[in-house]
Amino acid sequence: MGFEIPGEVITAFTGVPVDDSGEFQSKIRIEKIGHGLINYSFKISGSFGPDLFLQQINKNVFQSPEAVQENYLKIWNFSISKENSLYIPSPRFFNKINSIFLDKNNNYWRAFDFVEKCITISKVGIPDQARLTAIAFARFTSFFEGFDPALLNEVIPHFHDLEFRFKQFKDALINSKNYSRIEKSSSLIAALKQRRYYVSFLDNLIHSGNLLKRVMHHDAKISNILFHAETGAIICPIDLDTMMPGYIFSDLGDLIRSMTAACDESEKDLSKVSVRKEFYNAIVSGYLQIMSSKMSDTEKQNIHFAGLMMFFMQALRFLTDYLNDDVYYQVKYPEQNFDRAINQLTHLKQLENLLEEDYQFKI
Ligand code: GN1
Ligand code: MG
């Protein structure tokens, strides 16, 4: 497995003690699951009771794992308090009240009910699947209409704050000593600087007071949805760690960014880049089907800003990391963040053209 779970963690969540020889007193099966790069996740089963989903929270990404879990408990409590409840896997408690366990190595663990008979889908197939995914994330936000998003901890400060991301990019240009990377990026840097107007555009909308803060998932993509393995029905969105207050553009924009693209964000062959119109239409119409009655006029009028904002922000984040010598995103080869940034900028340009031609939407 290459990764040890201290016995005390398993004991805390399953109640199965370890004997003098270090063995569990009844058989425990541990299976590593998921492809997540952030948290480590496992399925734990045995005669102690129903299977559980055990997860170590990455404390390098989340400075306060307690704040992440506190958010989860708040939204879970809200979900079970309402009729027509949205299904969110229940956290497992130990000592009756605790749901987060700090082990002897100072790592944080939590567990949930294991959702049986479910699958995840890594890549969207047809527009209708994109529509269902958009509906699922819209339902998620819509469900929390009666919940004050300000109650959620900002677990990654300024996560989707475009002005902050632009500032990080400018700071990297000033502070980076990697002159060959700056030189290589010159046309990319110019193209991003030239689009500074996206930052002012959003700033004006925010200051108009007509954008509402809502519960946003902040990683809205098809691979963060659990589907029923047999019926294909949507069970629930997962990976709720970045759930924080945000503007509607965040989740809608991430849905557009992750599902209109015909190729992966690391694709180097730019001839493969294409923003697919039929997917765009399916995502926006699915999202609006659930959310439009809850949106302000300003939000509705500017709905097409969502995809532009998220392609732009992701290009900024990848290029910033490239200029900072790859300190944030995992890379498989040295130039990968540069390739990702060009890829996202190319998508952005295609989306700009599509919106101008088909929707007469231009900023
Ligand atoms: C990170 O690791 P993943 O794919 O869940 C990032 C997202 C980016 C994405 C780009 C906590 O998400 O914001 O959109 O990479 N998450 C964090 O691939 O930074
Ligand atoms: Mg994620």
Side-chain angles (χ1 to χ4, degrees):
M1 190 166 62
F3 187 92
E4 276 297 309
I5 308 174
E8 56 175 342
V9 176
I10 307 271
T11 300
F13 287 103
T14 62
V16 178
V18 175
D19 62 24
D20 293 343
S21 59
E23 295 292 319
F24 289 111
Q25 286 185 3
S26 67
K27 186 147 176 53
I28 298 279
R29 277 186 307 281
I30 301 174
E31 195 187 321
K32 173 120 180 56
I33 47 175
H35 306 282
L37 299 175
I38 307 264
N39 297 324
Y40 294 97
S41 307
F42 305 87
K43 178 180 183 179
I44 311 291
S45 36
S47 55
F48 59 86
D51 297 350
L52 60 87
F53 178 90
L54 179 71
Q55 194 174 52
Q56 188 195 95
I57 306 178
N58 184 325
K59 59 183 181 190
N60 297 324
V61 172
F62 298 103
Q63 278 151 19
S64 169
E66 284 104 339
V68 171
Q69 183 66 356
E70 206 175 276
N71 281 356
Y72 196 93
L73 294 178
K74 280 183 187 159
I75 66 126
W76 177 72
N77 274 314
F78 181 81
S79 79
I80 55 173
S81 74
K82 263 181 77 166
E83 261 177 64
N84 302 322
S85 123
L86 174 88
Y87 176 71
I88 293 176
S90 301
R92 290 285 182 95
F93 293 89
F94 58 93
N95 296 341
K96 297 211 169 54
I97 48 162
N98 297 318
S99 67
I100 187 158
F101 185 87
L102 181 62
D103 74 15
K104 57 182 184 205
N105 306 318
N106 275 325
N107 287 316
Y108 292 84
W109 296 84
R110 60 179 172 177
F112 307 96
D113 285 354
F114 190 87
V115 184
E116 305 287 348
K117 292 202 178 131
C118 64
I119 52 162
T120 53
I121 297 174
S122 57
K123 210 169 176 301
V124 67
I126 53 169
D128 217 43
Q129 214 174 27
R131 181 193 312 279
L132 285 180
T133 304
I135 288 175
F137 281 101
R139 285 216 171 105
F140 179 80
T141 289
S142 152
F143 181 79
F144 291 104
E145 282 291 299
F147 175 92
D148 178 6
L151 294 173
L152 295 176
N153 302 307
E154 214 181 332
V155 288
I156 305 180
H158 302 292
F159 191 47
H160 279 187
D161 176 342
L162 191 60
E163 192 169 10
F164 175 79
R165 295 301 182 187
F166 198 80
K167 184 172 181 311
Q168 283 187 315
F169 162 63
K170 284 196 307 187
D171 289 348
L173 286 173
I174 296 166
N175 299 326
S176 172
K177 301 275 180 292
N178 199 329
Y179 301 109
S180 62
R181 284 193 170 191
I182 297 179
E183 165 109 38
K184 178 174 168 177
S185 313
S186 61
S187 62
L188 191 46
I189 292 169
L192 293 178
K193 276 187 170 170
Q194 189 234 323
R195 287 170 171 77
R196 167 84 179 71
Y197 52 81
Y198 285 135
V199 181
S200 337
F201 180 81
L202 179 62
D203 210 40
N204 287 336
L205 290 184
I206 293 172
H207 285 106
S208 76
N210 296 320
L211 288 187
L212 303 174
K213 281 262 175 149
R214 306 168 182 285
V215 173
M216 284 281 117
H217 180 283
H218 282 108
D219 199 8
K221 53 185 176 189
I222 195 165
S223 60
N224 277 336
I225 294 281
L226 283 188
F227 292 88
H228 195 285
E230 282 149 22
T231 64
I234 284 175
I235 302 174
C236 58
I238 50 167
D239 193 10
L240 304 183
D241 304 336
T242 48
M243 194 181 49
M244 286 179 270
Y247 298 115
I248 199 154
F249 304 131
S250 278
D251 284 1
L252 179 59
D254 256 341
L255 291 163
I256 293 168
R257 193 182 79 79
S258 61
M259 294 193 293
T260 60
C263 66
D264 189 76
E265 66 188 10
S266 283
E267 178 60 59
K268 286 192 279 190
D269 180 355
L270 299 178
S271 70
K272 292 191 181 147
V273 168
S274 146
V275 172
R276 300 171 294 181
K277 191 171 143 182
E278 60 289 15
F279 283 80
Y280 186 87
N281 291 337
I283 295 162
V284 174
S285 64
Y287 203 84
L288 287 178
Q289 181 188 320
I290 305 298
M291 281 302 290
S292 70
S293 62
K294 301 178 164 119
M295 287 161 64
S296 68
D297 289 343
T298 305
E299 288 174 322
K300 280 188 226 165
Q301 282 152 14
N302 296 292
I303 198 73
H304 297 299
F305 177 65
L308 297 172
M309 166 171 140
M310 292 312 292
F311 275 126
F312 180 55
M313 189 189 297
Q314 201 58 57
L316 286 171
R317 289 178 68 191
F318 284 143
L319 188 62
T320 303
D321 199 35
Y322 178 69
L323 299 173
N324 289 338
D325 294 322
D326 313 317
V327 288
Y328 190 84
Y329 290 110
Q330 296 200 22
V331 286
K332 297 203 177 87
Y333 59 92
E335 300 305 290
Q336 192 168 18
N337 271 323
F338 176 83
D339 292 337
R340 289 166 172 158
I342 296 242
N343 170 305
Q344 294 295 289
L345 175 67
T346 312
H347 279 97
L348 175 61
K349 288 178 179 168
Q350 279 211 17
L351 181 60
E352 288 170 344
N353 291 338
L354 173 79
L355 293 179
E356 200 176 339
E357 280 161 25
D358 284 42
Y359 297 88
Q360 291 71 54
F361 186 86
K362 185 170 164 50
I363 287 161

